[in-house]
Amino acid sequence: MRAAVLEVCGEPPVVGQRPDPSRRDGEALVAVVAAPVTPLDLLCASGTSYFGRPQTPYVPGVQGVGVVEESTRHPAGTWVWFPTVAGMAPGDGSLAELVVVPDGDLVPLESGVDPRQLAALGLSAVAAWGALVLRGGLVPGERVLVLGSSGVVGSVALQLARLHGAARTYAAARPSRHAEADAGRLGADGFVPILADDDIATLAERIGSVAGEVDLVIDPLCGLPSAAALLRLAPCGRLVNLGSSAGETAVYSSAHLRSGSRAVLGYTNNDLTEEQRADGLTEIQRRLVAGELTARSETFTLDDATTAWRRQRAGDVDGRAVIAVR
């Protein structure tokens, strides 16, 4: 089969040949239709992730959308979303014509779902949903601030917060050609630019001038933006961290946390049960079909996978790079 094969950690994968996978009982053979290049793919392939250095060569791609060819549980021809452990454990991933996945990990597609849009959203949308609903416990009427709103996780969190009853939503991100306009288009009540020369106090003041106090912060950034956002968290508010793209650590005031019984919470999709992940993906699909959810993406062919990888790594993709395998 044709696949994007990563030979050396830190280098992009190159399209070539890979042996066809064979399934065992309890597994499904899936013909891949579309697969995204995600931050987790880039991290694992760098050889510096907390999962350790992956065994090479391997086919990256931690998720995708495809059609079941053989399965113990699902009829042939069933359209499914699927995850893989590529880069986190030995085995090949979704940037290939075929992949083998445990039957229990497959989530059938709803009628009318655009497979490329679902591929673009995938686990990033699940993370936004889980951080808001499961970990953050969003209550209708609350005020929500989304850091990193220009990314896929952040843009989905903005949309889902409103759909789950948030009274007001606010976006914060580094200024770009789309960041503020997209935030407004997705229903944000205000936009907070995060500037390169900000300190904690300056950014906290800017957040306050736009949003005042908020009840829930969705934080894929950590670092200085997280520390500033916590200073605008209302009593009994929650900050849910699910990433560290702005820094590995953030400094919080003990007095501020304790004086208002505020909470800093961690979130990862890895803690979800199969049922929870399926619930999240089911909602994401339902919102997609209803036209209530969207994400920026660019589509590449499998032949252009190396280019897509390089551009995603450089931040030169308009949203999420999606490889159209078929």
Side-chain angles (χ1 to χ4, degrees), residues 105 129 134 269-280:
D105 286 346
W129 171 83
L134 300 183
N269 279 343
N270 292 336
D271 285 343
L272 297 178
T273 65
E274 287 181 9
E275 292 76 15
Q276 288 173 324
R277 185 172 60 197
D279 287 345

Side-chain angles (χ1 to χ4, degrees), residues 129-211:
W129 171 83
L132 275 168
V133 178
L134 300 183
R135 193 69 167 138
L138 175 62
V139 175
E142 289 190 316
R143 302 155 294 178
V144 178
L145 170 65
V146 177
L147 304 180
S149 60
S150 57
V152 177
V153 171
S155 67
V156 172
L158 271 180
Q159 296 168 81
L160 289 180
R162 185 70 81 185
L163 291 167
H164 279 266
R168 299 183 73 80
T169 60
Y170 302 96
R174 291 197 179 278
S176 71
R177 56 179 176 162
H178 295 305
E180 185 168 3
D182 277 357
R185 179 176 58 83
L186 298 177
D189 294 290
F191 177 80
V192 181
I194 300 174
L195 306 179
D197 60 352
D198 276 337
D199 56 32
I200 293 173
T202 299
L203 181 55
E205 182 178 356
R206 191 179 305 124
I207 293 171
S209 68
V210 173

